[in-house]
């Protein structure tokens, strides 16, 4: 009896120890078996009831693939339209001598053109339509563009073919060149008047002392032609027929005379006289008036 009690007490003590160990997670041996204190499943043996340590889960096989980093989509910048530069006409160099101008350079141009036979009158100093036509004539003759404009090329060509004009060439006494004098003008003291060139030359023994522009009568009152002489002079004459002033008048054929005309000075060749020989340069006719004597010859010819 006493032996059984001892056995029971030992079993009870072992069971308690196993319970405590199980609570602590410790394994104990009971009746030759390990016990952890976990309750075995129904129908399972003590060995199978023992908990198994969880097997390590196999690591999944990782497959690495190269995926390019996506470049964030950037919208293309808006296309800026560059405004086309406006077309401009080719730059034209300014003319050396401009149309419509006056001055010394124009006189030089006209004098050079006249030497080469492209300007049929004396220099006036004004670049008008006549001068432009003369420039175009020269350009055609030299193979240049016949524009009538004096560009640097035309000016250089003209200067290379002529020498510098003299003062008499730049400042001739008349607008139109003096005509070849009539043979009757080559001797003595003569007022030599050409209708063709519309000039008057006061000549002494074939030498021109003074020259000036003149105009004549209209077709209804023409200036007579021929050989005459100065009959009388009247410095402040006034026409008894037309009641107009005729200063520095030198009569040579009836009522016809050589005299200064304010109308000619103002209107030029757009007007006409009543048969007289009009002069528009007052200083020149005044000087000649002081030299001419009654009896001097007057020759009017075409």
């Amino acid at each position: 009896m006493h032996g059984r009690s001892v056995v029971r007490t030992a079993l009870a003590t072992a069971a308690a120890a196993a319970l405590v160990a199980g609570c602590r997670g410790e394994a104990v041996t009971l009746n030759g078996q390990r016990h952890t204190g976990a309750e075995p499943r129904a129908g399972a043996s003590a060995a199978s009831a023992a908990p198994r340590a969880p097997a390590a889960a196999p690591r999944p096989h990782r497959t690495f693939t190269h995926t390019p980093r996506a470049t964030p989509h950037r919208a293309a910048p808006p296309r800026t339209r560059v405004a086309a530069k406006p077309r401009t006409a080719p730059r034209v160099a300014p003319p050396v001598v401009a149309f419509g101008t006056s001055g010394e350079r124009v006189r030089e141009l006209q004098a050079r053109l006249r030497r080469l036979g492209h300007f049929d009158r004396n220099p006036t100093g004004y670049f008008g339509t006549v001068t432009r036509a003369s420039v175009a004539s020269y350009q055609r003759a030299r193979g240049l563009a016949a524009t009538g404009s004096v560009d640097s090329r035309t000016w250089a060509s003209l200067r290379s073919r002529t020498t510098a004009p003299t003062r008499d060439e730049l400042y001739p006494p008349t607008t139109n060149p003096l005509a070849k004098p009539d043979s009757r003008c080559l001797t003595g003291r003569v007022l030599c008047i050409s209708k063709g060139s519309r000039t008057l030359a006061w000549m002494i023994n074939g030498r021109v002392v003074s020259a000036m522009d003149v105009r004549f009568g209209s077709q209804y009152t023409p200036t007579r032609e021929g050989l005459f002489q100065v009959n009388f002079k009247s410095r402040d004459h006034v026409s008894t027929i037309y009641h107009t002033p005729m200063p520095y008048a030198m009569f040579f054929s009836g009522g016809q005379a050589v005299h200064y005309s304010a109308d000619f000075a103002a209107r030029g060749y757009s007007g006409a006289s009543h048969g007289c020989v009009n002069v528009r340069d007052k200083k020149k006719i005044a000087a000649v008036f002081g030299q001419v004597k009654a009896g001097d010859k007057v020759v009017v010819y075409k």
Side-chain angles (χ1 to χ4, degrees):
M1 190 71 180
H2 179 74
R4 290 180 179 178
S5 298
V6 174
V7 172
R8 286 178 184 171
T9 301
L11 290 172
T13 301
L19 178 62
V20 172
C23 292
R24 293 180 180 175
E26 297 177 358
V28 297
T29 301
L30 186 61
N31 296 329
Q33 297 181 352
R34 288 178 62 85
H35 291 271
T36 61
E39 188 68 24
R41 287 181 297 176
S45 64
S48 62
R52 297 181 179 179
R59 292 184 179 181
H61 179 69
R62 299 178 66 183
T63 304
F64 293 90
T65 57
H66 178 71
T67 304
R69 295 181 63 183
T71 302
H73 177 71
R74 295 182 181 178
R79 298 178 66 181
T80 304
R81 294 179 62 88
V82 179
K85 293 183 179 180
R87 284 190 173 184
T88 56
R91 187 175 180 181
V92 179
V96 177
V97 189
F99 177 80
T101 59
S102 301
E104 297 299 310
R105 183 63 66 84
V106 179
R107 285 186 179 275
E108 181 182 351
L109 168 68
Q110 293 168 334
R112 290 179 183 273
L113 288 170
R114 183 167 181 260
R115 276 192 182 179
L116 298 174
H118 294 280
F119 191 69
D120 61 356
R121 58 188 64 188
N122 285 333
T124 62
Y126 175 71
F127 194 148
T129 55
V130 174
T131 304
R132 182 167 58 186
S134 299
V135 172
S137 173
Y138 173 79
Q139 289 170 328
R140 281 191 294 270
R142 297 299 171 184
L144 303 172
T147 61
S149 175
V150 185
D151 54 20
S152 58
R153 186 179 179 188
T154 300
W155 183 244
S157 173
L158 187 60
R159 285 172 61 91
S160 69
R161 289 172 171 79
T162 53
T163 58
T166 65
R167 181 167 181 80
D168 288 342
E169 290 176 315
L170 292 172
Y171 295 93
T174 59
T175 300
N176 296 318
L178 287 172
K180 182 180 179 179
D182 186 271
S183 59
R184 293 168 291 181
C185 299
L186 300 178
T187 58
R189 298 161 57 90
V190 189
L191 289 171
C192 191
I193 303 169
S194 168
K195 283 188 172 181
S197 64
R198 296 187 293 190
T199 59
L200 180 154
W202 164 235
M203 301 179 67
I204 298 177
N205 296 325
R207 182 178 64 88
V208 176
V209 178
S210 179
M212 58 203 76
D213 295 327
V214 293
R215 73 177 183 182
F216 307 96
S218 67
Q219 59 178 333
Y220 304 105
T221 56
T223 301
R224 289 183 284 272
E225 299 170 16
L227 174 61
F228 309 94
Q229 67 178 23
V230 175
N231 296 318
F232 72 98
K233 299 168 27 176
S234 177
R235 187 181 186 282
D236 299 306
H237 194 80
V238 177
S239 172
T240 57
I241 300 175
Y242 302 105
H243 308 288
T244 55
M246 298 171 58
Y248 306 107
M250 295 173 282
F251 289 89
F252 61 88
S253 176
Q256 293 187 350
V258 175
H259 67 85
Y260 170 74
S261 169
D263 182 74
F264 182 26
R267 299 174 57 198
Y269 289 103
S270 60
S273 73
H274 294 99
C276 290
V277 177
N278 290 165
V279 178
R280 61 179 170 187
D281 191 320
K282 195 171 187 178
K283 288 184 178 180
K284 285 184 177 182
I285 190 63
V288 170
F289 181 86
Q291 299 175 35
V292 172
K293 301 176 182 178
D296 288 342
K297 292 190 294 183
V298 178
V299 176
V300 182
Y301 66 102
K302 287 185 178 180

